[in-house]
Amino acid sequence: MQTLIRTAAATGLALVMAMPAPALAQRRGEPQLQVSYPTDGTMDCNQLLVEISRMEQISGVSAENAQNAQNQGALAEGAAGVAVNAALYSGALGAVPGLGAFANMAGGAARRNAEARARAEAERIRIADQRRSLLSGIYQGRQCGVPAAVPVAPTAVAVVAAAPASSDGAVAPAAPAVAPTGD
């Protein structure tokens, strides 16, 4: 009986540890990310660069979080399988009614929770990428990062006037004339 209790406790502990936290729990208090905000048009070039960089960082972190969520889902299902097998071999599965069903349900719930987290992170990546594209368009539209055009002063260009050809077909060089260009 003591072995059955230990096995059941270990099974429950393995399942609880394998279950991921609720979706997006680490983002509590953070406002929902949107593609655009009313203040986007008032940002200067430096503010745009900072926000573009932040969107790139959000995409990277969210991609990591999505992968971690998928790994946790696989771990939860594996832990549920190990727990059911341990309960089966120890005899706890037959002695504790519903233990196998509970383990399978808990593993399935953990997998679904992990899939929901992965989908939420994928959506966050999509929004961050769209926002980065929008802000990049504003940045380029304002010609941020483009050096100002240097005004060109009028310059003199040498113009060579051709002399009339002589009777033998040779052209005599003429004196160069200088003509201003520009306005």
Coordinates of all heavy atoms in Angstrom, one line a residue, residues 82-163:
V82 N 4.9 8.3 -19.0 CA 5.8 7.7 -18.0 C 5.0 7.5 -16.7 O 5.1 6.4 -16.1 CB 7.0 8.6 -17.7 CG1 7.8 8.2 -16.5 CG2 7.9 8.6 -18.9
A83 N 4.2 8.4 -16.3 CA 3.4 8.3 -15.1 C 2.4 7.1 -15.2 O 2.3 6.3 -14.2 CB 2.6 9.6 -14.8
V84 N 1.8 7.0 -16.3 CA 0.8 5.8 -16.5 C 1.6 4.5 -16.5 O 1.2 3.6 -15.9 CB 0.0 6.0 -17.8 CG1 -0.7 4.7 -18.2 CG2 -0.9 7.2 -17.7
N85 N 2.8 4.5 -17.2 CA 3.5 3.2 -17.2 C 4.0 2.9 -15.7 O 4.0 1.7 -15.3 CB 4.7 3.3 -18.1 CG 4.3 3.2 -19.6 OD1 3.3 2.5 -19.8 ND2 5.1 3.7 -20.5
A86 N 4.5 3.9 -15.0 CA 4.9 3.7 -13.6 C 3.8 3.2 -12.8 O 4.0 2.3 -12.0 CB 5.5 5.0 -13.1
A87 N 2.6 3.8 -12.9 CA 1.5 3.3 -12.2 C 1.1 1.9 -12.6 O 0.7 1.1 -11.7 CB 0.3 4.3 -12.4
L88 N 1.2 1.6 -13.8 CA 0.8 0.2 -14.3 C 1.8 -0.8 -13.7 O 1.4 -1.8 -13.2 CB 0.9 0.2 -15.8 CG 0.7 -1.2 -16.5 CD1 -0.8 -1.6 -16.2 CD2 0.9 -1.1 -18.0
Y89 N 3.1 -0.5 -13.8 CA 4.1 -1.5 -13.3 C 4.1 -1.6 -11.8 O 4.4 -2.7 -11.2 CB 5.5 -1.2 -13.8 CG 5.6 -1.5 -15.3 CD1 5.9 -0.5 -16.2 CD2 5.5 -2.8 -15.8 CE1 6.0 -0.7 -17.5 CE2 5.6 -3.1 -17.1 CZ 5.8 -2.0 -18.0 OH 5.9 -2.3 -19.3
S90 N 3.7 -0.6 -11.1 CA 3.7 -0.6 -9.6 C 2.4 -1.2 -9.1 O 2.3 -1.5 -7.9 CB 3.9 0.7 -9.0 OG 2.7 1.5 -9.3
G91 N 1.4 -1.3 -9.9 CA 0.1 -1.8 -9.5 C -0.8 -0.7 -9.0 O -2.0 -1.0 -8.7
A92 N -0.4 0.5 -9.1 CA -1.2 1.6 -8.6 C -2.4 1.9 -9.6 O -3.4 2.3 -9.2 CB -0.4 2.9 -8.4
L93 N -2.1 1.5 -10.9 CA -3.2 1.8 -11.9 C -4.4 1.0 -11.6 O -5.5 1.5 -11.8 CB -2.6 1.4 -13.3 CG -3.3 2.0 -14.5 CD1 -3.4 3.5 -14.4 CD2 -2.7 1.6 -15.8
G94 N -4.2 -0.3 -11.2 CA -5.4 -1.1 -10.8 C -6.0 -0.8 -9.5 O -7.2 -0.9 -9.2
A95 N -5.1 -0.3 -8.5 CA -5.6 0.0 -7.2 C -6.3 1.3 -7.0 O -7.1 1.5 -6.2 CB -4.4 -0.1 -6.2
V96 N -5.9 2.3 -7.9 CA -6.5 3.6 -7.8 C -7.3 3.8 -9.0 O -6.8 4.1 -10.1 CB -5.4 4.7 -7.7 CG1 -6.0 6.1 -7.6 CG2 -4.4 4.5 -6.5
P97 N -8.6 3.8 -8.9 CA -9.5 3.9 -10.0 C -9.4 5.3 -10.7 O -9.3 6.3 -10.0 CB -10.9 3.7 -9.5 CG -10.8 3.2 -8.1 CD -9.4 3.5 -7.7
G98 N -9.3 5.3 -12.0 CA -9.3 6.6 -12.7 C -7.9 7.2 -12.8 O -7.8 8.3 -13.4
L99 N -6.9 6.6 -12.2 CA -5.5 7.2 -12.2 C -5.0 7.4 -13.7 O -4.5 8.4 -14.1 CB -4.5 6.4 -11.4 CG -3.1 7.0 -11.3 CD1 -3.2 8.4 -10.6 CD2 -2.2 6.0 -10.5
G100 N -5.2 6.3 -14.5 CA -4.7 6.4 -15.9 C -5.5 7.4 -16.7 O -4.9 8.2 -17.4
A101 N -6.8 7.5 -16.5 CA -7.6 8.5 -17.2 C -7.2 9.9 -16.8 O -7.1 10.8 -17.6 CB -9.1 8.3 -16.9
F102 N -6.9 10.1 -15.5 CA -6.5 11.4 -15.0 C -5.2 11.8 -15.6 O -5.0 12.9 -16.0 CB -6.4 11.4 -13.4 CG -5.7 12.6 -12.9 CD1 -6.4 13.8 -12.8 CD2 -4.4 12.6 -12.4 CE1 -5.8 15.0 -12.4 CE2 -3.8 13.7 -12.0 CZ -4.5 14.9 -11.9
A103 N -4.2 10.8 -15.6 CA -2.9 11.1 -16.2 C -3.0 11.5 -17.6 O -2.4 12.5 -18.1 CB -2.0 9.9 -16.0
N104 N -3.8 10.8 -18.4 CA -4.0 11.1 -19.8 C -4.7 12.4 -20.0 O -4.3 13.2 -20.9 CB -4.8 10.0 -20.5 CG -3.9 8.7 -20.7 OD1 -2.7 8.8 -20.8 ND2 -4.6 7.6 -20.7
M105 N -5.7 12.7 -19.2 CA -6.4 14.0 -19.3 C -5.4 15.2 -19.0 O -5.4 16.2 -19.7 CB -7.6 14.1 -18.4 CG -8.8 13.2 -19.0 SD -10.3 13.3 -18.0 CE -9.9 13.9 -16.4
A106 N -4.7 15.0 -17.9 CA -3.7 16.1 -17.5 C -2.7 16.3 -18.6 O -2.3 17.4 -18.9 CB -3.1 15.7 -16.2
G107 N -2.2 15.2 -19.2 CA -1.2 15.3 -20.3 C -1.8 16.0 -21.5 O -1.2 16.9 -22.1
G108 N -3.0 15.7 -21.8 CA -3.7 16.3 -23.0 C -4.0 17.8 -22.7 O -3.8 18.6 -23.6
A109 N -4.4 18.1 -21.5 CA -4.6 19.5 -21.1 C -3.3 20.3 -21.2 O -3.3 21.5 -21.7 CB -5.2 19.6 -19.7
A110 N -2.2 19.7 -20.7 CA -1.0 20.4 -20.8 C -0.5 20.6 -22.2 O 0.0 21.7 -22.6 CB 0.1 19.6 -20.0
R111 N -0.8 19.6 -23.1 CA -0.4 19.8 -24.5 C -1.3 20.9 -25.1 O -0.7 21.7 -25.9 CB -0.6 18.4 -25.2 CG -0.3 18.5 -26.7 CD -0.6 17.2 -27.5 NE -1.9 16.7 -27.1 CZ -3.1 17.1 -27.6 NH1 -3.1 18.1 -28.4 NH2 -4.2 16.5 -27.3
R112 N -2.6 20.9 -24.9 CA -3.4 21.9 -25.5 C -3.0 23.3 -25.0 O -3.1 24.3 -25.7 CB -4.9 21.6 -25.1 CG -5.5 20.5 -25.9 CD -7.0 20.3 -25.7 NE -7.3 20.1 -24.4 CZ -7.3 18.9 -23.8 NH1 -6.9 17.8 -24.4 NH2 -7.7 18.7 -22.5
N113 N -2.7 23.4 -23.7 CA -2.2 24.7 -23.1 C -1.0 25.2 -23.8 O -0.8 26.3 -24.2 CB -2.0 24.6 -21.6 CG -1.8 25.9 -20.9 OD1 -1.9 26.9 -21.6 ND2 -1.6 25.8 -19.7
A114 N 0.0 24.2 -24.1 CA 1.2 24.6 -24.7 C 0.9 25.0 -26.2 O 1.5 25.9 -26.7 CB 2.2 23.4 -24.7
E115 N 0.0 24.3 -26.8 CA -0.3 24.7 -28.2 C -1.0 26.1 -28.3 O -0.7 26.9 -29.2 CB -1.3 23.7 -28.8 CG -0.6 22.3 -29.1 CD -1.6 21.2 -29.5 OE1 -2.9 21.5 -29.5 OE2 -1.2 20.1 -29.9
A116 N -1.8 26.4 -27.3 CA -2.4 27.7 -27.2 C -1.3 28.8 -27.0 O -1.4 29.9 -27.6 CB -3.4 27.8 -26.1
R117 N -0.4 28.5 -26.2 CA 0.7 29.5 -25.9 C 1.5 29.7 -27.2 O 1.9 30.8 -27.6 CB 1.6 29.0 -24.8 CG 1.0 29.2 -23.4 CD 1.9 28.7 -22.3 NE 3.2 29.3 -22.4 CZ 4.3 28.7 -22.0 NH1 4.3 27.5 -21.5 NH2 5.5 29.3 -22.1
A118 N 1.8 28.6 -27.9 CA 2.6 28.7 -29.2 C 1.8 29.5 -30.2 O 2.4 30.3 -30.9 CB 2.9 27.3 -29.7
R119 N 0.5 29.3 -30.3 CA -0.3 30.1 -31.2 C -0.3 31.6 -30.8 O -0.2 32.4 -31.7 CB -1.8 29.6 -31.3 CG -1.9 28.3 -32.1 CD -3.4 28.0 -32.4 NE -4.2 27.9 -31.1 CZ -4.3 26.7 -30.4 NH1 -3.7 25.6 -30.8 NH2 -5.0 26.7 -29.4
A120 N -0.4 31.8 -29.5 CA -0.4 33.2 -29.1 C 0.9 33.9 -29.4 O 1.0 35.1 -29.8 CB -0.7 33.3 -27.6
E121 N 2.0 33.2 -29.2 CA 3.3 33.7 -29.6 C 3.5 33.9 -31.1 O 4.1 34.9 -31.5 CB 4.4 32.8 -29.0 CG 4.5 32.7 -27.5 CD 4.9 34.0 -26.8 OE1 5.4 35.0 -27.5 OE2 4.6 34.2 -25.6
A122 N 2.9 33.0 -31.9 CA 3.0 33.2 -33.3 C 2.2 34.4 -33.7 O 2.6 35.2 -34.6 CB 2.5 31.9 -34.0
E123 N 1.1 34.7 -33.1 CA 0.3 35.9 -33.4 C 1.1 37.1 -33.0 O 1.1 38.1 -33.7 CB -1.0 35.8 -32.6 CG -1.9 37.1 -32.8 CD -2.4 37.3 -34.2 OE1 -2.2 36.4 -35.1 OE2 -2.9 38.3 -34.5
R124 N 1.8 37.1 -31.9 CA 2.6 38.2 -31.4 C 3.7 38.5 -32.4 O 4.0 39.6 -32.7 CB 3.1 37.9 -30.0 CG 3.8 39.1 -29.3 CD 4.0 38.7 -27.8 NE 4.8 39.7 -27.2 CZ 4.4 40.8 -26.7 NH1 3.2 41.2 -26.8 NH2 5.3 41.7 -26.1
I125 N 4.3 37.4 -32.9 CA 5.4 37.6 -33.9 C 4.8 38.3 -35.2 O 5.4 39.2 -35.7 CB 6.0 36.2 -34.3 CG1 6.8 35.7 -33.1 CG2 6.9 36.4 -35.5 CD1 7.2 34.2 -33.3
R126 N 3.6 37.8 -35.6 CA 3.0 38.4 -36.8 C 2.7 39.9 -36.6 O 3.0 40.7 -37.5 CB 1.7 37.7 -37.1 CG 1.0 38.1 -38.4 CD -0.4 37.5 -38.5 NE -1.3 38.0 -37.5 CZ -1.9 39.2 -37.5 NH1 -1.7 40.0 -38.5 NH2 -2.8 39.5 -36.6
I127 N 2.2 40.3 -35.4 CA 1.9 41.7 -35.2 C 3.2 42.5 -35.1 O 3.3 43.6 -35.7 CB 1.0 41.8 -33.9 CG1 -0.4 41.2 -34.1 CG2 1.0 43.3 -33.4 CD1 -1.2 41.1 -32.8
A128 N 4.2 42.0 -34.4 CA 5.5 42.7 -34.3 C 6.1 42.9 -35.7 O 6.6 44.0 -36.0 CB 6.4 42.0 -33.4
D129 N 6.0 41.9 -36.5 CA 6.6 42.0 -37.9 C 5.8 43.0 -38.7 O 6.4 43.8 -39.5 CB 6.6 40.6 -38.6 CG 7.7 39.7 -38.0 OD1 8.5 40.2 -37.3 OD2 7.6 38.5 -38.4
Q130 N 4.5 43.0 -38.6 CA 3.7 44.0 -39.3 C 4.0 45.4 -38.8 O 4.1 46.4 -39.6 CB 2.2 43.7 -39.2 CG 1.8 42.6 -40.1 CD 0.3 42.3 -39.9 OE1 -0.4 42.8 -39.1 NE2 -0.2 41.4 -40.8
R131 N 4.1 45.6 -37.5 CA 4.4 46.9 -37.0 C 5.8 47.4 -37.4 O 6.0 48.5 -37.7 CB 4.3 46.8 -35.4 CG 4.7 48.2 -34.8 CD 4.1 48.3 -33.4 NE 4.5 49.5 -32.7 CZ 4.1 50.7 -33.0 NH1 3.2 50.9 -34.0 NH2 4.5 51.8 -32.4
R132 N 6.8 46.5 -37.4 CA 8.1 46.8 -37.8 C 8.1 47.3 -39.3 O 8.7 48.3 -39.7 CB 9.1 45.6 -37.7 CG 10.5 45.9 -38.1 CD 11.4 44.7 -37.9 NE 10.9 43.5 -38.3 CZ 10.9 43.0 -39.5 NH1 11.5 43.7 -40.5 NH2 10.4 41.8 -39.8
S133 N 7.3 46.6 -40.1 CA 7.2 47.0 -41.5 C 6.6 48.4 -41.7 O 7.0 49.2 -42.5 CB 6.4 46.0 -42.3 OG 7.1 44.8 -42.4
L134 N 5.5 48.6 -40.9 CA 4.8 49.9 -40.9 C 5.8 51.0 -40.5 O 5.9 52.1 -41.2 CB 3.6 49.9 -40.0 CG 2.9 51.3 -39.8 CD1 2.0 51.5 -40.9 CD2 2.2 51.3 -38.5
L135 N 6.5 50.8 -39.4 CA 7.4 51.8 -38.9 C 8.6 52.1 -39.9 O 9.1 53.2 -40.0 CB 8.0 51.5 -37.5 CG 6.9 51.4 -36.4 CD1 7.5 50.8 -35.1 CD2 6.3 52.8 -36.2
S136 N 9.1 51.0 -40.5 CA 10.1 51.1 -41.5 C 9.7 52.0 -42.7 O 10.4 52.8 -43.2 CB 10.6 49.7 -42.0 OG 11.2 49.0 -40.9
G137 N 8.4 51.8 -43.1 CA 7.9 52.6 -44.1 C 7.8 54.1 -43.8 O 8.2 55.0 -44.6
I138 N 7.4 54.4 -42.5 CA 7.4 55.8 -42.1 C 8.8 56.3 -42.0 O 9.1 57.5 -42.5 CB 6.7 55.9 -40.7 CG1 5.3 55.5 -40.7 CG2 6.9 57.3 -40.1 CD1 4.6 55.4 -39.4
Y139 N 9.7 55.5 -41.5 CA 11.2 55.9 -41.5 C 11.7 56.3 -42.9 O 12.3 57.3 -43.0 CB 12.0 54.8 -40.8 CG 13.4 55.1 -40.6 CD1 13.8 55.7 -39.4 CD2 14.4 54.7 -41.5 CE1 15.1 56.0 -39.2 CE2 15.7 54.9 -41.2 CZ 16.1 55.6 -40.1 OH 17.4 55.9 -39.8
Q140 N 11.4 55.4 -43.8 CA 11.9 55.7 -45.2 C 11.2 56.8 -45.8 O 11.8 57.6 -46.6 CB 11.7 54.4 -46.0 CG 12.7 53.3 -45.7 CD 12.4 52.0 -46.4 OE1 11.4 51.9 -47.1 NE2 13.3 51.1 -46.2
G141 N 9.9 57.0 -45.5 CA 9.1 58.1 -46.1 C 9.6 59.4 -45.6 O 9.5 60.4 -46.4
R142 N 10.1 59.4 -44.4 CA 10.6 60.7 -43.9 C 12.1 60.9 -44.3 O 12.7 61.9 -43.9 CB 10.6 60.7 -42.4 CG 9.1 60.8 -41.9 CD 9.1 61.3 -40.5 NE 7.7 61.4 -40.1 CZ 7.3 61.1 -38.9 NH1 8.1 60.7 -38.0 NH2 6.0 61.2 -38.6
Q143 N 12.6 60.0 -45.0 CA 14.0 60.0 -45.5 C 15.0 60.1 -44.3 O 16.0 60.8 -44.4 CB 14.2 61.1 -46.5 CG 13.4 60.9 -47.7 CD 13.7 62.0 -48.8 OE1 14.2 63.0 -48.5 NE2 13.2 61.7 -50.0
C144 N 14.6 59.3 -43.2 CA 15.5 59.3 -42.1 C 16.8 58.5 -42.5 O 16.7 57.5 -43.3 CB 14.9 58.5 -40.9 SG 13.4 59.4 -40.2
G145 N 17.9 58.9 -42.1 CA 19.1 58.2 -42.4 C 19.7 58.5 -43.7 O 20.8 58.1 -44.1
V146 N 19.0 59.3 -44.5 CA 19.5 59.7 -45.8 C 20.2 61.1 -45.7 O 19.5 62.0 -45.2 CB 18.3 59.8 -46.9 CG1 18.8 60.3 -48.2 CG2 17.7 58.5 -47.0
P147 N 21.4 61.2 -46.1 CA 22.1 62.5 -45.9 C 21.4 63.6 -46.8 O 20.9 63.3 -47.9 CB 23.5 62.3 -46.4 CG 23.5 61.0 -47.2 CD 22.3 60.2 -46.7
A148 N 21.4 64.8 -46.3 CA 20.8 65.9 -47.1 C 21.6 66.1 -48.3 O 22.8 66.0 -48.4 CB 20.8 67.1 -46.2
A149 N 20.9 66.5 -49.4 CA 21.5 66.7 -50.7 C 22.3 68.0 -50.6 O 21.9 69.0 -50.1 CB 20.4 66.8 -51.8
V150 N 23.5 67.9 -51.2 CA 24.4 69.1 -51.2 C 24.1 69.9 -52.4 O 24.1 69.3 -53.5 CB 25.9 68.6 -51.2 CG1 26.8 69.8 -51.3 CG2 26.2 67.7 -50.0
P151 N 23.8 71.2 -52.3 CA 23.5 72.0 -53.5 C 24.7 72.0 -54.4 O 25.9 72.1 -54.0 CB 23.2 73.3 -52.9 CG 23.7 73.4 -51.5 CD 23.8 71.9 -51.1
V152 N 24.5 71.9 -55.7 CA 25.5 71.9 -56.7 C 25.7 73.4 -57.2 O 24.7 73.9 -57.7 CB 25.2 70.9 -57.9 CG1 26.3 71.0 -58.9 CG2 25.0 69.6 -57.3
A153 N 26.9 73.9 -57.2 CA 27.2 75.2 -57.7 C 27.4 75.1 -59.2 O 27.9 74.1 -59.7 CB 28.4 75.8 -57.0
P154 N 27.0 76.2 -59.9 CA 27.3 76.1 -61.4 C 28.8 76.0 -61.7 O 29.6 76.6 -61.0 CB 26.7 77.5 -61.9 CG 26.0 78.1 -60.8 CD 26.4 77.4 -59.5
T155 N 29.1 75.3 -62.6 CA 30.6 75.1 -63.0 C 30.8 75.5 -64.5 O 29.8 75.5 -65.2 CB 31.0 73.6 -62.8 OG1 30.2 72.8 -63.6 CG2 30.9 73.2 -61.4
A156 N 32.0 75.8 -64.8 CA 32.3 76.1 -66.2 C 32.7 74.8 -66.9 O 33.4 74.0 -66.4 CB 33.5 77.1 -66.2
V157 N 32.3 74.7 -68.1 CA 32.6 73.5 -69.0 C 33.2 74.0 -70.2 O 32.8 75.0 -70.8 CB 31.3 72.8 -69.3 CG1 31.6 71.6 -70.2 CG2 30.6 72.3 -68.1
A158 N 34.3 73.4 -70.6 CA 35.0 73.8 -71.8 C 34.2 73.3 -73.0 O 33.8 72.2 -73.1 CB 36.4 73.2 -71.8
V159 N 34.0 74.2 -73.9 CA 33.3 73.9 -75.2 C 34.3 74.1 -76.3 O 34.9 75.2 -76.5 CB 32.0 74.7 -75.4 CG1 31.4 74.4 -76.7 CG2 31.1 74.6 -74.2
V160 N 34.5 73.1 -77.1 CA 35.4 73.2 -78.2 C 34.6 73.4 -79.5 O 33.7 72.6 -79.8 CB 36.3 71.9 -78.3 CG1 37.2 72.0 -79.5 CG2 37.1 71.7 -77.0
A161 N 34.8 74.5 -80.1 CA 34.1 74.7 -81.4 C 35.0 74.2 -82.5 O 36.2 74.3 -82.6 CB 34.0 76.2 -81.6
A162 N 34.4 73.5 -83.4 CA 35.1 72.9 -84.5 C 35.3 73.9 -85.6 O 34.4 74.6 -85.9 CB 34.3 71.7 -85.0
A163 N 36.5 73.9 -86.1 CA 36.8 74.8 -87.2 C 36.4 74.2 -88.5 O 36.3 73.0 -88.6 CB 38.3 75.2 -87.3

